[in-house]
Amino acid sequence: MAAQAVKPNIAVHTNPKHDLWIAPASPTLEEVQKGEGLKDGYVTVGIKSTGICGSDIHFWHAGCIGPMIVTGDHVLGHESAGIVLAAHPSVTSLKVGDRVAIEPQVTCTACEPCRTGRYNGCETVDFLSTPPVPGLLRRYVNHPASWCYKIGDMSYEYGAMLEPLSVALAGIERANLKLGDPTLICGAGPIGLMCLLCCKAAGATPVVITDIDQGRLDFAKKIDPNVKTVLIEKGASDEDIAAKIKTLAGGPIAIGLECTGVESSISTAIWSMKFGGRIMVIGVGKNLINIPFMRLSVMEIDLLFEYRYANTWPKAIRLVNGGFIDLSKLVTHRFTLDDAIKAFQTAADPKTGCIKVQIKDEIDC
């Protein structure tokens, strides 16, 4: 039933001591080969590509993100795509051999957020890679078929990037971005660049993107030659940076997509907004920050926040397959699963110039 499974299952682990290592994981190779241990509605997926997210680095280095704390040995990773190796008899939507992208959460379907379609707010969600739920940086994983989406001939690399694309799509939708909206993107990391691709597809113009790293701004220009870039210089005030942004945009900004979670960056976005503008804070940051509250108040600026995503994978697949979102330039470094430690070291080092690092069970997938 799962003849393609020939190697032992291994995974990338961290712990409260900030160690990082590769070790055996469940399900075992024998269980995968025999199709055993699957719950009703579950499939076994052979993971082919997994992207390293900034949250993976944060759990490794800091051991927590807000209230989400690494308390024991923990498997990382939540940006994955692979192939179905086994399916419980109850599964009718997928079959062995299907190529799928994985939405890395399992919700209760019964709480109010679930019942109203905003299941990203599920009160008892199991989000893979958020402690204590083990993540997807494994060779094999058992996952509900309902959270696995067929990708057809789409590459596993693109399939894995549907997760960060979903983050950007959720932000764009909640911000209610429209054709012709002058838009600011704060941060030119992977999520900021995904937002740039979405803004381009959505017809936002002009688009200004900021970062502290000129190399990332140069990369943004490769993604969209029409984007206007602002290098955040050390010591510059938030208001001065905002003035530069507004000059480049030809006026105040309508929509801000804040992808850093950094206090000064959020403040800069606030000072850049027009009356009635909207800022979507996508990045994560400190538990407590200071912001120019009265500027928000007297300008009637909506400050919105995003927590993961809901109902985005089908849309993301359509956008990529339809040619509206071009993911071809984003993966800059690729490693095998056996070299996962080196992959994490590369992703964590700004000097490498990496944008998106992916770990692959087969390097050519």
Side-chain angles (χ1 to χ4, degrees), residues 210-225:
T210 67
D211 205 275
I212 60 174
D213 185 334
Q214 184 61 50
R216 291 203 161 186
L217 294 176
D218 294 341
F219 196 93
K221 276 284 190 181
K222 295 177 183 177
I223 295 292
D224 180 6

Side-chain angles (χ1 to χ4, degrees), residues 12-21 54-77 127-135 344:
V12 181
H13 298 73
T14 191
N15 62 18
K17 296 180 180 180
H18 314 297
D19 299 318
L20 191 72
W21 74 98
S55 66
D56 294 317
I57 302 297
H58 213 73
F59 281 131
W60 168 31
H61 281 174
C64 67
I65 296 177
M68 298 168 282
I69 302 170
V70 176
T71 58
D73 293 354
H74 180 61
V75 178
L76 297 166
F127 192 91
L128 279 68
S129 83
T130 295
V133 184
F344 268 79

Side-chain angles (χ1 to χ4, degrees), residues 189-320:
I191 298 300
L193 294 174
M194 282 290 189
C195 286
L196 177 58
L197 291 173
C198 291
C199 286
K200 182 179 179 181
T205 187
V207 178
V208 181
I209 191 167
T210 67
D211 205 275
I212 60 174
D213 185 334
Q214 184 61 50
R216 291 203 161 186
L217 294 176
D218 294 341
F219 196 93
K221 276 284 190 181
K222 295 177 183 177
I223 295 292
D224 180 6
N226 293 319
V227 71
K228 303 177 186 300
T229 63
V230 173
L231 179 67
I232 305 300
E233 297 178 354
K234 189 175 182 179
S237 73
D238 303 339
E239 293 178 67
D240 286 344
I241 298 168
K244 187 172 184 179
I245 290 167
K246 288 185 281 189
T247 297
L248 279 176
I253 298 294
I255 300 292
L257 302 171
E258 208 300 308
C259 302
T260 73
V262 175
E263 179 180 299
S264 59
S265 183
I266 297 171
S267 176
T268 296
I270 292 169
W271 287 108
S272 301
M273 289 296 112
K274 72 174 187 177
F275 187 89
R278 292 184 300 278
I279 299 171
M280 168 56 59
V281 181
I282 300 172
V284 296
K286 296 178 180 178
N287 286 334
L288 296 174
I289 63 170
N290 294 309
I291 57 173
F293 172 80
M294 284 309 301
R295 179 68 177 181
L296 287 169
S297 177
V298 301
M299 294 293 287
E300 288 195 2
I301 298 168
D302 293 335
L303 187 62
L304 306 171
F305 297 87
E306 175 183 340
Y307 187 58
R308 298 172 180 158
Y309 33 65
N311 308 302
T312 52
W313 258 256
K315 182 187 296 185
I317 291 169
R318 291 193 299 269
L319 286 168
V320 174

Side-chain angles (χ1 to χ4, degrees), residues 2 41 77 83 89 99 107 115 124 134 163 180 184-185 199 218 230 232-233 261 299 316 334 348:
I83 186 169
R99 299 158 64 92
T107 64
R115 288 187 287 107
T124 57
E163 197 279 341
L184 169 66
I185 301 171
C199 286
D218 294 341
V230 173
I232 305 300
E233 297 178 354
M299 294 293 287
R334 300 167 179 86

Side-chain angles (χ1 to χ4, degrees), residues 33-56:
Q33 289 175 330
K34 293 181 178 180
E36 294 178 347
L38 281 174
K39 299 177 184 177
D40 185 64
Y42 274 63
V43 294
T44 299
V45 179
I47 302 297
K48 294 298 184 181
S49 292
T50 301
I52 297 178
C53 177
S55 66
D56 294 317

